[in-house]
Amino acid sequence: MQKGIIGKKLGMTQLFDEKGKVVPVTIIEAGPCVVVQKKTVESDGYEAVQLGYGDISAKKVSKPAKGHFDKADVAPKRTLREFRLDDISAVTVGDIVKADTFAAGDHIDVAGFSKGKGYAGTIKRWNGHRLRESHGTGPVARHAGSNGSCSTPSRVFKGKKLPGHLGAERVTVQNLTVVKIDTENNLIAIKGAVPGAKGSIVTLSDSVKA
């Protein structure tokens, strides 16, 4: 990974390319982020930088967190994320990372937490089929189906798709394209959809595929 940044999802809109085609884009308010900590092989066993995003009152952070920010001599930040970069020799604590760290045409991975859907059945959660509501079906048209045999094997096999909590989990969408950068307002337009609701925190990093 060469670069990364923390941002906030603002929503979706559309832009027009040079050929006049509509491009659906997600707008991310990327940064400004500050380097809060620099991890090295000597002290931590690996190389990484910790970025902070979003101001927060000093009264709202714990004493250990306040000491962490005081050590870096930066204002308290609401969100902290760590990025393992290939080379951190040029990075120093206190540096500001802005949206111009990326450029139009870059391929990136965007990670965030998906929208929570609550407790969902097997059809919504696993895209299962429902039964035909004909004679003899009974009130089980949207149920999970057979749950296991009787005496053999006398258990439910691992991996059986059952109802449960859907969404609200970390999701990474890979190999998205940066369409436009607005350096003045720290905005990045990314082609396609990214996980999370409006206002949720996402992280942008170099694509591991491209």
Side-chain angles (χ1 to χ4, degrees), residues 86-165:
D86 296 335
D87 184 19
I88 63 171
S89 58
V91 180
T92 58
V93 174
D95 286 353
I96 304 297
V97 180
K98 297 184 178 180
D100 57 5
T101 188
F102 292 98
D106 285 353
H107 294 274
I108 62 174
D109 294 342
V110 182
F113 281 85
S114 61
K115 292 181 180 180
K117 308 294 176 102
Y119 190 90
T122 53
I123 292 179
K124 182 174 181 179
R125 192 183 185 200
W126 302 111
N127 196 29
H129 290 275
R130 65 199 302 268
L131 297 177
R132 293 177 59 191
E133 295 197 63
S134 56
H135 292 289
T137 301
V140 293
R142 294 178 66 89
H143 284 206
S146 177
N147 228 8
S149 305
C150 41
S151 61
T152 303
S154 297
R155 63 186 175 88
V156 178
F157 287 112
K158 287 184 178 181
K160 170 66 178 174
K161 291 181 169 63
L162 295 171
H165 187 215

Coordinates of all heavy atoms in Angstrom, one line a residue, residues 86-165:
D86 N 4.0 1.0 2.4 CA 5.3 0.3 1.9 C 6.5 1.1 2.4 O 7.5 0.5 2.8 CB 5.3 0.2 0.4 CG 4.2 -0.7 -0.1 OD1 3.7 -1.5 0.7 OD2 3.8 -0.5 -1.3
D87 N 6.4 2.4 2.5 CA 7.5 3.2 2.9 C 7.0 4.4 3.7 O 6.2 5.2 3.2 CB 8.3 3.7 1.7 CG 9.5 4.5 2.1 OD1 10.0 4.4 3.2 OD2 10.1 5.3 1.2
I88 N 7.4 4.5 5.0 CA 7.0 5.6 5.8 C 8.1 6.5 6.2 O 8.0 7.3 7.1 CB 6.3 5.0 7.1 CG1 7.3 4.2 8.0 CG2 5.1 4.2 6.8 CD1 6.8 3.9 9.3
S89 N 9.3 6.4 5.5 CA 10.4 7.2 5.9 C 10.2 8.7 5.7 O 10.7 9.5 6.4 CB 11.6 6.8 5.0 OG 11.3 6.9 3.6
A90 N 9.3 9.0 4.7 CA 9.1 10.5 4.4 C 7.9 11.0 5.3 O 7.6 12.2 5.2 CB 8.8 10.7 2.9
V91 N 7.3 10.2 6.1 CA 6.1 10.6 6.9 C 6.6 11.0 8.3 O 7.4 10.2 8.9 CB 5.1 9.5 6.9 CG1 3.9 9.9 7.8 CG2 4.6 9.1 5.6
T92 N 6.1 12.0 8.8 CA 6.4 12.5 10.2 C 5.1 12.7 10.9 O 4.1 13.1 10.3 CB 7.3 13.7 10.2 OG1 6.6 14.8 9.5 CG2 8.6 13.4 9.6
V93 N 5.1 12.6 12.2 CA 4.0 12.8 13.1 C 3.6 14.3 12.9 O 4.4 15.2 13.0 CB 4.2 12.5 14.5 CG1 3.1 12.9 15.4 CG2 4.5 11.0 14.6
G94 N 2.3 14.6 12.7 CA 1.8 15.9 12.5 C 1.6 16.3 11.1 O 1.0 17.4 10.8
D95 N 2.0 15.5 10.2 CA 1.8 15.8 8.7 C 0.3 15.7 8.4 O -0.5 15.0 9.0 CB 2.5 14.7 7.8 CG 4.0 15.0 7.8 OD1 4.4 16.0 8.3 OD2 4.7 14.1 7.2
I96 N -0.2 16.6 7.5 CA -1.6 16.6 7.1 C -1.7 15.9 5.8 O -1.0 16.1 4.8 CB -2.0 18.1 6.9 CG1 -1.8 18.9 8.2 CG2 -3.5 18.1 6.5 CD1 -2.6 18.3 9.4
V97 N -2.7 15.0 5.7 CA -3.0 14.2 4.5 C -4.3 14.7 4.0 O -5.4 14.7 4.7 CB -3.1 12.7 4.8 CG1 -3.4 11.9 3.5 CG2 -1.8 12.2 5.4
K98 N -4.4 15.1 2.7 CA -5.6 15.7 2.1 C -6.0 14.8 1.0 O -5.4 13.8 0.6 CB -5.3 17.1 1.7 CG -5.0 18.1 2.9 CD -4.9 19.5 2.4 CE -4.7 20.5 3.5 NZ -4.5 21.9 3.1
A99 N -7.1 15.2 0.3 CA -7.7 14.5 -0.7 C -6.7 14.4 -1.9 O -6.8 13.4 -2.7 CB -9.0 15.1 -1.2
D100 N -5.8 15.3 -2.1 CA -5.0 15.3 -3.3 C -3.9 14.2 -3.2 O -3.1 14.1 -4.1 CB -4.3 16.7 -3.5 CG -3.5 17.2 -2.3 OD1 -3.4 16.4 -1.3 OD2 -3.0 18.3 -2.2
T101 N -3.9 13.4 -2.1 CA -3.0 12.3 -2.1 C -3.4 11.2 -3.2 O -2.6 10.4 -3.6 CB -3.1 11.6 -0.7 OG1 -2.1 10.6 -0.6 CG2 -4.4 10.9 -0.4
F102 N -4.7 11.3 -3.6 CA -5.1 10.5 -4.7 C -5.3 11.4 -6.0 O -5.4 12.6 -5.8 CB -6.5 9.8 -4.4 CG -6.3 8.7 -3.4 CD1 -6.7 9.0 -2.0 CD2 -5.9 7.4 -3.7 CE1 -6.5 8.0 -1.1 CE2 -5.8 6.5 -2.7 CZ -6.1 6.7 -1.4
A103 N -5.4 10.8 -7.1 CA -5.6 11.5 -8.4 C -6.7 10.8 -9.2 O -7.0 9.6 -9.0 CB -4.3 11.6 -9.1
A104 N -7.3 11.6 -10.1 CA -8.3 11.0 -11.0 C -7.7 9.8 -11.8 O -6.6 10.0 -12.3 CB -8.9 12.0 -11.9
G105 N -8.4 8.7 -11.9 CA -7.9 7.5 -12.6 C -7.3 6.5 -11.7 O -7.1 5.4 -12.1
D106 N -7.0 6.8 -10.4 CA -6.5 5.9 -9.5 C -7.5 4.7 -9.2 O -8.7 5.0 -9.2 CB -6.1 6.5 -8.1 CG -4.8 7.4 -8.2 OD1 -4.2 7.3 -9.3 OD2 -4.5 8.1 -7.3
H107 N -7.0 3.6 -8.9 CA -7.8 2.4 -8.5 C -7.6 2.2 -7.0 O -6.5 2.1 -6.5 CB -7.4 1.2 -9.3 CG -7.7 1.2 -10.7 ND1 -9.0 0.9 -11.3 CD2 -7.0 1.6 -11.8 CE1 -8.9 1.1 -12.6 NE2 -7.7 1.5 -12.9
I108 N -8.7 2.2 -6.3 CA -8.7 2.2 -4.8 C -9.6 1.1 -4.3 O -10.6 0.6 -5.0 CB -9.0 3.5 -4.2 CG1 -10.5 3.9 -4.6 CG2 -8.0 4.6 -4.6 CD1 -10.9 5.2 -3.9
D109 N -9.4 0.7 -3.0 CA -10.3 -0.1 -2.2 C -10.9 0.8 -1.2 O -10.3 1.5 -0.5 CB -9.6 -1.3 -1.6 CG -9.0 -2.3 -2.6 OD1 -9.5 -2.2 -3.8 OD2 -8.1 -3.0 -2.2
V110 N -12.3 0.6 -1.0 CA -13.0 1.4 0.0 C -13.6 0.4 1.0 O -14.3 -0.5 0.6 CB -14.1 2.3 -0.7 CG1 -14.8 3.1 0.4 CG2 -13.5 3.2 -1.7
A111 N -13.3 0.7 2.3 CA -13.8 -0.2 3.4 C -14.7 0.6 4.3 O -14.4 1.8 4.6 CB -12.7 -0.8 4.1
G112 N -15.8 0.1 4.7 CA -16.7 0.7 5.7 C -17.6 -0.3 6.3 O -17.5 -1.5 6.0
F113 N -18.5 0.1 7.1 CA -19.5 -0.7 7.7 C -20.8 -0.6 7.0 O -21.4 0.5 6.9 CB -19.7 -0.4 9.2 CG -18.5 -0.9 10.1 CD1 -17.4 -0.2 10.2 CD2 -18.6 -2.2 10.7 CE1 -16.3 -0.7 11.0 CE2 -17.6 -2.7 11.4 CZ -16.4 -2.0 11.6
S114 N -21.4 -1.8 6.6 CA -22.6 -1.8 5.8 C -23.8 -1.4 6.7 O -23.7 -1.4 7.9 CB -22.8 -3.2 5.2 OG -22.9 -4.2 6.3
K115 N -24.9 -1.0 6.0 CA -26.1 -0.7 6.7 C -26.6 -1.9 7.5 O -26.7 -3.0 7.0 CB -27.2 -0.2 5.7 CG -26.8 1.1 5.0 CD -28.0 1.5 4.1 CE -27.7 2.8 3.4 NZ -28.8 3.2 2.5
G116 N -27.0 -1.6 8.7 CA -27.6 -2.7 9.5 C -29.1 -3.0 9.1 O -29.9 -2.0 8.9
K117 N -29.4 -4.2 8.9 CA -30.8 -4.6 8.5 C -31.5 -5.3 9.6 O -32.6 -5.8 9.4 CB -30.7 -5.6 7.3 CG -29.9 -5.0 6.1 CD -30.5 -3.8 5.5 CE -29.6 -3.3 4.4 NZ -30.0 -3.6 3.0
G118 N -30.9 -5.4 10.8 CA -31.6 -6.1 11.9 C -31.6 -7.6 11.7 O -30.8 -8.2 11.0
Y119 N -32.6 -8.2 12.4 CA -32.8 -9.7 12.3 C -33.6 -10.0 11.0 O -34.7 -9.5 10.8 CB -33.6 -10.2 13.5 CG -33.6 -11.7 13.7 CD1 -32.6 -12.3 14.4 CD2 -34.6 -12.4 13.1 CE1 -32.7 -13.7 14.6 CE2 -34.7 -13.8 13.2 CZ -33.7 -14.4 14.0 OH -33.7 -15.8 14.1
A120 N -32.9 -10.8 10.1 CA -33.5 -11.1 8.8 C -33.7 -12.6 8.6 O -32.9 -13.4 9.2 CB -32.7 -10.5 7.7
G121 N -34.7 -12.9 7.8 CA -34.9 -14.3 7.5 C -34.0 -14.8 6.4 O -33.1 -14.1 5.9
T122 N -34.1 -16.1 6.1 CA -33.2 -16.7 5.1 C -33.3 -16.2 3.7 O -32.3 -16.1 3.0 CB -33.4 -18.2 5.1 OG1 -34.8 -18.5 4.8 CG2 -33.0 -18.9 6.4
I123 N -34.5 -15.7 3.3 CA -34.7 -15.2 2.0 C -34.0 -13.9 1.8 O -33.3 -13.7 0.8 CB -36.2 -15.1 1.7 CG1 -36.9 -16.5 1.6 CG2 -36.4 -14.3 0.4 CD1 -38.3 -16.4 1.3
K124 N -34.1 -13.0 2.8 CA -33.5 -11.7 2.7 C -32.0 -11.8 2.9 O -31.2 -11.2 2.3 CB -34.1 -10.7 3.6 CG -33.5 -9.3 3.6 CD -34.3 -8.4 4.5 CE -33.7 -6.9 4.4 NZ -34.5 -6.0 5.2
R125 N -31.6 -12.7 3.9 CA -30.2 -12.8 4.3 C -29.4 -13.6 3.3 O -28.2 -13.2 3.1 CB -30.2 -13.4 5.7 CG -28.8 -13.3 6.4 CD -28.8 -14.0 7.7 NE -27.6 -13.8 8.4 CZ -27.1 -14.6 9.4 NH1 -27.9 -15.6 9.8 NH2 -26.0 -14.3 10.0
W126 N -29.9 -14.7 2.8 CA -29.1 -15.5 1.9 C -29.7 -15.7 0.5 O -29.2 -16.5 -0.2 CB -29.1 -16.9 2.6 CG -28.5 -16.9 3.9 CD1 -29.1 -17.2 5.1 CD2 -27.1 -16.7 4.3 NE1 -28.3 -17.1 6.2 CE2 -27.0 -16.8 5.7 CE3 -26.0 -16.4 3.6 CZ2 -25.8 -16.6 6.4 CZ3 -24.8 -16.2 4.2 CH2 -24.7 -16.3 5.6
N127 N -30.7 -14.9 0.2 CA -31.2 -14.9 -1.2 C -31.9 -16.3 -1.5 O -31.7 -16.8 -2.6 CB -30.2 -14.5 -2.2 CG -30.8 -14.2 -3.6 OD1 -31.9 -13.7 -3.6 ND2 -30.1 -14.4 -4.7
G128 N -32.6 -16.8 -0.5 CA -33.2 -18.1 -0.7 C -34.5 -18.1 -1.5 O -35.0 -17.0 -1.7
H129 N -35.0 -19.3 -1.9 CA -36.2 -19.3 -2.6 C -37.4 -19.6 -1.6 O -37.2 -20.1 -0.5 CB -36.2 -20.5 -3.6 CG -35.3 -20.2 -4.8 ND1 -35.7 -19.5 -5.9 CD2 -34.0 -20.6 -5.0 CE1 -34.7 -19.5 -6.7 NE2 -33.7 -20.1 -6.2
R130 N -38.6 -19.1 -2.0 CA -39.7 -19.4 -1.1 C -40.5 -20.5 -1.8 O -40.3 -20.9 -2.9 CB -40.6 -18.1 -1.0 CG -41.2 -17.7 -2.3 CD -41.6 -16.2 -2.2 NE -42.6 -16.0 -1.1 CZ -43.9 -16.1 -1.3 NH1 -44.4 -16.3 -2.5 NH2 -44.7 -15.9 -0.3
L131 N -41.4 -21.1 -1.0 CA -42.2 -22.2 -1.5 C -43.4 -21.7 -2.2 O -43.8 -20.5 -2.1 CB -42.7 -23.1 -0.3 CG -41.6 -23.8 0.5 CD1 -42.3 -24.6 1.7 CD2 -40.9 -24.8 -0.4
R132 N -44.0 -22.5 -3.1 CA -45.2 -22.2 -3.8 C -46.4 -22.2 -2.8 O -46.5 -23.2 -2.0 CB -45.5 -23.1 -4.9 CG -44.5 -23.0 -6.1 CD -44.8 -24.1 -7.1 NE -46.2 -23.9 -7.7 CZ -46.8 -24.8 -8.4 NH1 -46.1 -25.9 -8.8 NH2 -48.0 -24.6 -8.9
E133 N -47.2 -21.2 -2.7 CA -48.3 -21.2 -1.8 C -49.5 -21.9 -2.4 O -50.5 -21.3 -2.6 CB -48.6 -19.8 -1.3 CG -47.5 -19.1 -0.6 CD -47.9 -17.9 0.2 OE1 -48.8 -18.0 1.1 OE2 -47.4 -16.8 -0.1
S134 N -49.3 -23.2 -2.6 CA -50.4 -24.0 -3.2 C -51.0 -24.9 -2.1 O -50.7 -24.7 -0.9 CB -49.8 -24.9 -4.4 OG -48.7 -25.7 -3.9
H135 N -51.7 -25.9 -2.5 CA -52.3 -26.8 -1.4 C -51.3 -27.6 -0.6 O -50.4 -28.2 -1.2 CB -53.3 -27.8 -2.1 CG -54.5 -27.1 -2.7 ND1 -55.5 -26.5 -2.0 CD2 -54.9 -26.9 -4.0 CE1 -56.4 -26.0 -2.8 NE2 -56.0 -26.2 -4.0
G136 N -51.4 -27.5 0.6 CA -50.6 -28.3 1.5 C -49.3 -27.7 1.9 O -48.5 -28.3 2.6
T137 N -49.0 -26.5 1.4 CA -47.7 -25.8 1.8 C -47.7 -25.4 3.3 O -46.7 -25.6 3.9 CB -47.5 -24.6 0.9 OG1 -47.5 -25.0 -0.4 CG2 -46.2 -24.0 1.3
G138 N -48.8 -25.0 3.8 CA -48.9 -24.5 5.1 C -48.2 -23.1 5.3 O -47.8 -22.5 4.3
P139 N -48.2 -22.6 6.5 CA -47.6 -21.3 6.7 C -46.1 -21.2 6.8 O -45.6 -20.7 7.7 CB -48.3 -20.9 8.1 CG -48.4 -22.2 8.8 CD -48.7 -23.2 7.8
V140 N -45.4 -21.9 5.9 CA -44.0 -22.0 6.0 C -43.4 -21.5 4.6 O -42.3 -22.0 4.3 CB -43.5 -23.4 6.3 CG1 -43.9 -23.7 7.7 CG2 -44.1 -24.4 5.4
A141 N -44.0 -20.7 3.9 CA -43.6 -20.3 2.6 C -42.2 -19.6 2.6 O -41.4 -19.8 1.6 CB -44.6 -19.4 1.9
R142 N -41.9 -18.9 3.7 CA -40.6 -18.2 3.7 C -39.7 -18.8 4.8 O -38.7 -18.1 5.2 CB -40.8 -16.7 4.0 CG -41.6 -16.0 2.9 CD -41.8 -14.5 3.3 NE -40.6 -13.8 3.5 CZ -40.0 -13.1 2.5 NH1 -40.5 -13.1 1.3 NH2 -38.9 -12.4 2.7
H143 N -39.9 -20.0 5.2 CA -39.1 -20.6 6.2 C -37.8 -21.2 5.6 O -37.6 -21.2 4.4 CB -39.8 -21.8 6.9 CG -40.8 -21.2 7.9 ND1 -41.2 -22.0 9.0 CD2 -41.5 -20.1 8.0 CE1 -42.1 -21.3 9.7 NE2 -42.3 -20.1 9.1
A144 N -36.9 -21.6 6.5 CA -35.5 -22.0 6.1 C -35.5 -23.4 5.5 O -34.4 -23.8 5.0 CB -34.6 -21.9 7.3
G145 N -36.5 -24.2 5.6 CA -36.5 -25.5 5.0 C -36.0 -26.5 6.0 O -35.9 -26.3 7.2
S146 N -35.8 -27.7 5.6 CA -35.3 -28.8 6.4 C -34.1 -28.4 7.2 O -33.1 -27.9 6.6 CB -35.1 -30.1 5.6 OG -34.6 -31.1 6.4
N147 N -34.1 -28.8 8.5 CA -33.0 -28.3 9.3 C -32.0 -29.4 9.7 O -31.1 -29.2 10.4 CB -33.6 -27.7 10.6 CG -32.9 -26.3 10.9 OD1 -32.1 -25.8 10.1 ND2 -33.2 -25.8 12.1
G148 N -32.3 -30.7 9.3 CA -31.4 -31.8 9.7 C -32.2 -33.1 9.7 O -33.4 -33.1 9.8
S149 N -31.5 -34.2 9.5 CA -32.1 -35.5 9.5 C -32.4 -35.9 11.0 O -32.0 -35.3 11.9 CB -31.2 -36.5 8.9 OG -30.9 -36.1 7.6
C150 N -33.2 -37.0 11.1 CA -33.6 -37.5 12.5 C -32.4 -38.2 13.2 O -31.5 -37.5 13.7 CB -34.8 -38.3 12.4 SG -34.8 -39.5 11.1
S151 N -32.3 -39.5 13.2 CA -31.3 -40.1 14.0 C -29.9 -40.1 13.3 O -28.9 -40.2 14.0 CB -31.7 -41.6 14.2 OG -31.8 -42.3 13.0
T152 N -29.9 -39.9 12.0 CA -28.6 -39.8 11.3 C -28.7 -38.5 10.5 O -29.5 -38.3 9.6 CB -28.4 -40.9 10.3 OG1 -28.5 -42.1 11.1 CG2 -27.0 -40.8 9.7
P153 N -27.9 -37.5 10.8 CA -26.7 -37.5 11.7 C -27.1 -36.9 13.1 O -26.2 -36.7 13.9 CB -25.7 -36.6 11.0 CG -26.6 -35.6 10.4 CD -27.8 -36.3 9.9
S154 N -28.4 -36.7 13.4 CA -28.8 -36.2 14.7 C -28.2 -34.8 15.0 O -28.0 -34.5 16.2 CB -28.5 -37.2 15.8 OG -29.2 -38.4 15.6
R155 N -28.0 -34.0 14.0 CA -27.4 -32.7 14.2 C -27.7 -31.9 13.0 O -28.1 -32.4 11.9 CB -25.9 -32.7 14.5 CG -25.1 -33.3 13.4 CD -23.7 -33.4 13.8 NE -22.9 -34.1 12.7 CZ -22.3 -33.4 11.7 NH1 -22.4 -32.0 11.7 NH2 -21.6 -34.0 10.8
V156 N -27.4 -30.6 13.1 CA -27.5 -29.7 12.0 C -26.1 -29.5 11.4 O -25.2 -29.2 12.2 CB -28.1 -28.3 12.4 CG1 -28.2 -27.3 11.2 CG2 -29.5 -28.5 13.0
F157 N -25.9 -29.6 10.2 CA -24.6 -29.5 9.6 C -24.1 -28.0 9.7 O -24.9 -27.1 9.6 CB -24.7 -29.9 8.1 CG -24.8 -31.4 7.9 CD1 -25.9 -31.9 7.3 CD2 -23.7 -32.2 8.2 CE1 -26.0 -33.3 7.1 CE2 -23.8 -33.6 8.0 CZ -25.0 -34.1 7.5
K158 N -22.8 -27.9 9.9 CA -22.2 -26.6 9.9 C -22.4 -25.9 8.6 O -22.3 -26.5 7.5 CB -20.7 -26.7 10.2 CG -20.4 -27.0 11.6 CD -18.9 -27.0 11.9 CE -18.6 -27.4 13.3 NZ -17.1 -27.3 13.6
G159 N -22.6 -24.6 8.6 CA -22.8 -23.8 7.4 C -24.3 -23.7 7.0 O -24.5 -23.1 5.9
K160 N -25.2 -24.3 7.7 CA -26.6 -24.2 7.3 C -27.1 -22.8 7.4 O -26.9 -22.1 8.4 CB -27.4 -25.1 8.3 CG -29.0 -24.9 8.2 CD -29.5 -25.4 6.8 CE -31.0 -25.2 6.8 NZ -31.5 -25.5 5.5
K161 N -27.7 -22.3 6.3 CA -28.1 -20.9 6.2 C -29.4 -20.7 7.0 O -30.4 -21.3 6.6 CB -28.2 -20.5 4.7 CG -26.9 -20.4 4.0 CD -27.1 -20.0 2.5 CE -25.8 -19.7 1.9 NZ -24.9 -20.8 1.8
L162 N -29.3 -19.9 8.0 CA -30.4 -19.7 8.9 C -30.7 -18.2 9.1 O -29.8 -17.4 8.7 CB -30.1 -20.4 10.3 CG -30.0 -21.9 10.3 CD1 -29.4 -22.3 11.7 CD2 -31.3 -22.5 10.0
P163 N -31.8 -17.9 9.7 CA -32.1 -16.5 10.0 C -31.0 -15.9 11.0 O -30.4 -16.7 11.7 CB -33.5 -16.5 10.5 CG -34.1 -17.7 10.1 CD -33.0 -18.7 10.0
G164 N -30.9 -14.6 11.0 CA -29.9 -14.0 11.9 C -29.7 -12.5 11.6 O -30.4 -11.9 10.8
H165 N -28.7 -12.0 12.3 CA -28.4 -10.6 12.1 C -27.8 -10.3 10.8 O -26.8 -11.0 10.4 CB -27.4 -10.1 13.2 CG -27.2 -8.7 13.3 ND1 -25.9 -8.1 13.6 CD2 -28.0 -7.6 13.0 CE1 -26.0 -6.8 13.6 NE2 -27.2 -6.5 13.2

